[in-house]
Amino acid sequence: MAEVVIVDAPETAGALVADEIVRRARQNPETVLGLATGSTPLPVYRALSARRAEVDLSRLRGFALDEYVGLDPAHPESYRSVIEREVVVPLGLDAGRIRVPDGHPARIRDAGEAYEGAIRDAGGVDLQILGIGTDGHIGFNEPGSSFASLTRVKTLTAQTRRDNARFFAVGEEVPRHCITQGLGTILRAGHLVLLAFGEAKAAAVAAAVEGPLTAWVPASAIQLHPRATVIVDEAAARDLRGATYYREAWAHKPDWQGI
Ligand code: GLP
C-alpha cells in the first residue's frame, strides 16, 4: 500500500516533497518530474522556489498531467499557462524542457500518442506529483477510467466542471474535454507523491488509499504502485481507518529513507 504521511499543514507537506526533489536534482540534474496543476501542489512549488539558491533546477525536465481541449494556450487557465506561471517561472526551469499535452483540436487525434512518446524518450517520469479531485480523479482520469489507460481525450464530469468553474470568469464555459495522462501512464512513474489538503478531500483520500481497487475511484490505482507516498493534512486524513498506524510508522521511520 501507499505510505501515508499525516502532516500539520500544507507547508510541511510542501517542504517534504521539495526535500525529495532537491535530493534528486543534486543526484541527477536532469530528473524528470510529473507536474500537477490545481491548488494542492502549490506549497511544493513554493518550497522549491525558496530553495533555488541551493540547487540548480534549470535542467530538470517536466511533464504536466493534463490540459483542456480547445482552450487557447494563452488563456490564463490553460494548464500550459498555469504551469508556466506557477512552476516554470518561480522555479527558474527551462521552459523548453517542460511539456504540457497539446489540447489543440486540430492535433488532438495524435496528441496522446505523441505525449506518450515524449515521456518515453525522456526515459520516463522519475517523480510524479499528484493532487486528487473530490470524485477521486487523478490528472483528469474521471471515475471509470481504465487502470491501463494512456494519454488520451476524456470528457470531464459535471462535478469536475463545477469544481473548476471557480477558475473561469462568470459566464465562461469550463471546457468539456481534456487530454490527460492515463492511469497506466501515471503508474509507470518511478515514485508517486499524492497530496491532499482539507476536509473536502477526506472521502476521496480514504477511498483511494484504503478502499477497494476500482476504476470508479481512479486514485485507487496508486495501490498498485510499488512506491507511492500520500501526504495529507489532518482534515484530509479524517476518514482514514489506519491513521494511528500511519502516524506510528512515520514517527519511527529511519531518517535516511526520506519520503
Ligand atoms: C484538476 C486537475 C487535477 C487536480 C484536481 C484537484 O481536476 N486536473 O490534477 O488534482 O483538479 O484540484 P485542487 O488541487 O485545486 O483541489
Side-chain angles (χ1 to χ4, degrees):
M1 67 172 290
E3 171 174 42
V4 182
V5 184
I6 303 172
V7 295
D8 57 343
E11 291 67 33
T12 313
L16 278 175
V17 183
D19 272 349
E20 174 62 14
I21 296 173
V22 167
R23 188 189 68 76
R24 282 178 181 265
R26 284 197 180 118
Q27 222 167 56
N28 172 17
E30 301 211 340
T31 290
V32 182
L33 295 180
L35 301 166
T37 48
S39 49
T40 307
L42 293 179
V44 174
Y45 304 140
R46 266 188 229 116
L48 256 182
S49 101
R51 300 186 60 178
R52 269 176 69 178
E54 281 172 56
V55 58
D56 177 21
L57 301 174
S58 68
R59 286 164 61 204
L60 289 181
R61 292 170 300 166
F63 289 90
L65 275 172
D66 44 14
E67 177 59 292
Y68 293 107
V69 172
L71 189 65
D72 184 346
H75 187 290
E77 291 308 324
S78 78
Y79 285 169
R80 164 155 303 286
S81 298
V82 172
I83 290 283
E84 174 79 18
R85 186 170 67 234
E86 287 165 359
V87 189
V88 173
V89 173
L91 269 57
L93 305 183
D94 172 357
R97 292 169 186 254
I98 308 300
R99 287 202 48 164
V100 179
D102 182 359
H104 195 289
R107 292 184 294 271
I108 200 67
R109 279 173 176 234
D110 301 320
E113 225 174 285
Y115 206 61
E116 289 291 328
I119 295 175
R120 247 191 335 267
D121 291 348
V125 169
D126 296 309
L127 183 144
Q128 175 65 58
I129 301 167
L130 295 167
I132 184 169
T134 54
D135 62 0
H137 74 243
I138 50 177
F140 265 142
N141 292 283
E142 298 285 31
S145 294
S146 159
F147 283 179
S149 53
L150 301 179
T151 306
R152 73 225 181 281
V153 172
K154 285 291 287 181
T155 303
L156 298 175
T157 61
Q159 184 176 336
T160 299
R161 293 178 76 220
R162 269 195 305 274
D163 285 351
N164 289 4
R166 67 187 193 278
F167 297 114
F168 291 83
V170 182
E172 201 179 6
E173 284 271 305
V174 179
R176 193 171 286 280
H177 294 107
C178 63
I179 173 166
T180 180
Q181 285 191 32
L183 296 174
T185 319
I186 292 168
L187 288 174
R188 287 176 186 165
H191 183 184
L192 304 183
V193 180
L194 186 147
L195 302 158
F197 310 122
E199 216 177 343
K201 301 289 174 74
V205 167
V209 175
E210 297 175 342
L213 267 181
T214 167
W216 210 244
V217 180
S220 67
I222 66 169
Q223 295 180 38
L224 293 169
H225 198 281
R227 187 161 181 214
T229 309
V230 174
I231 311 182
V232 291
D233 66 0
E234 296 284 349
R238 186 196 61 194
D239 296 349
L240 289 171
R241 279 175 295 183
T244 307
Y245 171 68
Y246 308 143
R247 288 184 217 279
E248 196 181 316
W250 179 248
H252 298 284
K253 190 170 177 174
D255 281 346
W256 56 265
Q257 279 188 337
I259 56 168

